[in-house]
Amino acid sequence: MAPLVRAAVIGAGFVGPHHVDAIRRTGYAEVVAIAGSDPDRAAAKAASLGVPRSTGRADDLLTDPGVDVVHICTPNATHVAMAAMAMEAGKHVVIEKPIATDTEGAEHLVSVAQTTGRHAMVAFTYRGYPMVERARELVAKGDLGALRLVHGAYLQDWLADPTDWNWRVEPAAGGASRAVADIGTHWFDTVEHVTGQRIEAVFADLATFMPIRQRPRGGVEAFGKPAGETEAVAITSEDAATILVRFAGGGRGSCVISQVSPGNKNAFWFEIAGEQQSLAWQQERPERLVLRSRDATTTFARSPAPRPGPGIPPLPAGHPEGWSDALRDLFRPFYAAVAAGVAASAAGETDAAPYPTLRAGARALRFVDAVLRSSREERWTSLA
């Protein structure tokens, strides 16, 4: 057997441990180290996850010759410097979205990936769901006919109160956009992936419903509740967005993005209407894909095909798979390419790549930038 790919995860907060789990379950890799901004916290996370090494210095892992792949699960403003350093040191990288805080940073990472020849992907998790791929196949086969309308939403409530806090609300760490950059990019990437068409322009309206929030003097992880003393802080990033979109092929669409909608935990969904049929998928009911015509409604259930190679196989139909399984399946082709020594030029930085490349991440940043400009100028804005 070929030796396992050696991976390190930078970031010991909410999503980092889920990367550790998904990496292991691909069957191609082991996690050799984890880094966090607080050495004691990183050590505690490493111990709880069975990771043999921890550090409070990310740079130690970005250039470590004993690491093949680096996962960057840190605040957005750190992504460009860390990913560039890792690739220039010969590492392949996986970056949480958004890959940068602006288009310029994202395009720089695309350039670094190309010049270093490294495999580099963005963690657009929803591409990993089997029924999202089934939807893509149905659209590509022409079952829906020409695209007419795409609509949907991504709604959460974890920042619905003025006492809710996370580094994402701070522009210095998260960037100028919050809700759109954090979860709106998922909706954007998924509908482009499924339809096979590009969004060319947007008309956006952003809202900050809580211009003042209470920042805890101690930190708090995503989805956690702050405790202790707080201080009032002015907020400039958006709590929510309503966005009209135009597709290059003539289709139209809309989405609602919110992190302040009570009772919605992770309500991601889309519906795509063609000239003949429509299809719909909901992330909170991921095992089902609904196809509708004027005369009939068909519900497809997940039915996994055998998967070659190592790792955890898909569960039989009727045994629900969810978000963590989608993350595993998103990583699997990336790690398969790294383990096989496939040249990045053959597998990466093209639209035909088997995983979402940094080019997809850069497109998502163009979407974010266009949304910000559109809302500020109150007009249709191109992604070009």
Side-chain angles (χ1 to χ4, degrees):
M1 291 182 61
L4 292 174
V5 175
R6 300 164 299 178
V9 175
I10 313 294
F14 159 67
V15 81
H18 292 282
H19 278 242
V20 172
D21 174 61
I23 292 164
R24 288 167 168 165
R25 293 195 297 139
T26 66
Y28 292 99
E30 61 179 335
V31 182
V32 298
I34 189 168
S37 57
D38 183 317
D40 293 335
R41 183 180 169 202
K45 279 290 176 76
S48 70
L49 295 166
V51 176
R53 178 185 168 197
S54 69
T55 178
R57 290 175 48 84
D59 289 4
D60 292 346
L61 302 184
L62 296 173
T63 58
D64 188 334
V67 172
D68 304 308
V69 177
V70 174
H71 285 239
I72 298 172
C73 306
T74 53
N76 305 339
T78 66
H79 290 180
V80 172
M82 285 188 179
M85 180 182 293
M87 287 187 283
E88 288 165 353
K91 318 302 179 194
H92 308 284
V93 296
V94 178
I95 313 174
E96 267 297 329
K97 46 78 232 163
I99 63 171
T101 57
D102 55 37
T103 301
E104 291 75 16
E107 294 291 354
H108 174 65
L109 287 184
V110 172
S111 176
V112 174
Q114 291 171 335
T115 57
T116 60
R118 299 296 83 193
H119 288 282
M121 72 170 285
V122 55
F124 281 136
T125 310
Y126 298 98
R127 290 198 195 189
Y129 279 98
M131 300 313 282
V132 168
E133 281 306 301
R134 183 69 181 276
R136 177 178 165 87
E137 291 168 4
L138 291 172
V139 173
K141 283 170 54 184
D143 286 9
L144 273 62
L147 181 69
R148 287 179 174 172
L149 291 169
V150 180
H151 67 282
Y154 198 154
L155 309 176
Q156 297 177 333
D157 70 356
W158 68 289
L159 293 172
D161 297 329
T163 54
D164 293 327
W165 188 267
N166 182 259
W167 58 259
R168 290 169 176 81
V169 308
E170 302 182 50
S177 171
R178 182 189 356 130
V180 175
D182 187 29
I183 59 177
T185 50
H186 274 304
W187 192 90
F188 166 83
D189 177 75
T190 304
V191 298
E192 283 205 339
H193 181 66
V194 171
T195 63
Q197 295 196 21
R198 296 290 183 252
I199 291 173
E200 64 177 5
V202 298
F203 198 126
D205 182 26
L206 305 185
T208 304
F209 296 109
M210 283 163 281
I212 301 293
R213 286 182 179 267
Q214 297 298 317
R215 178 170 60 195
R217 297 191 184 279
V220 58
E221 283 189 14
F223 307 109
K225 285 293 182 182
E229 295 183 0
T230 63
E231 57 182 335
V233 176
I235 302 300
T236 58
S237 59
E238 76 280 358
D239 292 319
T242 51
I243 308 169
L244 298 176
V245 301
R246 287 178 178 165
F247 289 84
R252 299 292 192 269
S254 67
C255 66
V256 178
I257 306 300
S258 171
Q259 293 177 318
V260 297
S261 295
N264 290 280
K265 302 307 178 186
N266 205 44
F268 176 104
W269 64 273
F270 61 80
E271 181 164 334
I272 301 170
E275 60 185 356
Q276 299 168 7
Q277 297 191 91
S278 299
L279 63 79
W281 180 78
Q282 300 178 37
Q283 190 276 151
E284 292 181 326
R285 301 184 66 187
E287 303 279 281
R288 297 287 184 268
L289 182 68
V290 179
L291 188 67
R292 301 186 182 97
S293 68
R294 292 187 66 176
D295 303 316
T297 297
T298 303
T299 300
F300 294 96
R302 179 180 61 86
S303 181
R307 180 188 293 119
I312 302 298
L315 289 167
H319 297 71
E321 290 191 335
W323 186 92
S324 61
D325 305 295
L327 190 64
R328 171 203 67 196
D329 289 347
L330 185 78
F331 291 166
R332 198 184 297 271
F334 172 87
Y335 272 98
V338 172
V342 175
S345 59
E349 297 313 314
T350 71
D351 291 336
Y355 52 77
T357 69
L358 298 192
R359 285 168 59 91
R363 271 200 61 76
L365 263 298
R366 286 198 288 276
F367 171 72
V368 172
D369 285 353
V371 164
L372 291 173
R373 292 198 311 273
S374 174
S375 181
R376 184 171 58 248
E377 299 172 7
E378 298 185 334
R379 64 178 180 85
W380 280 100
T381 302
S382 170
L383 270 65

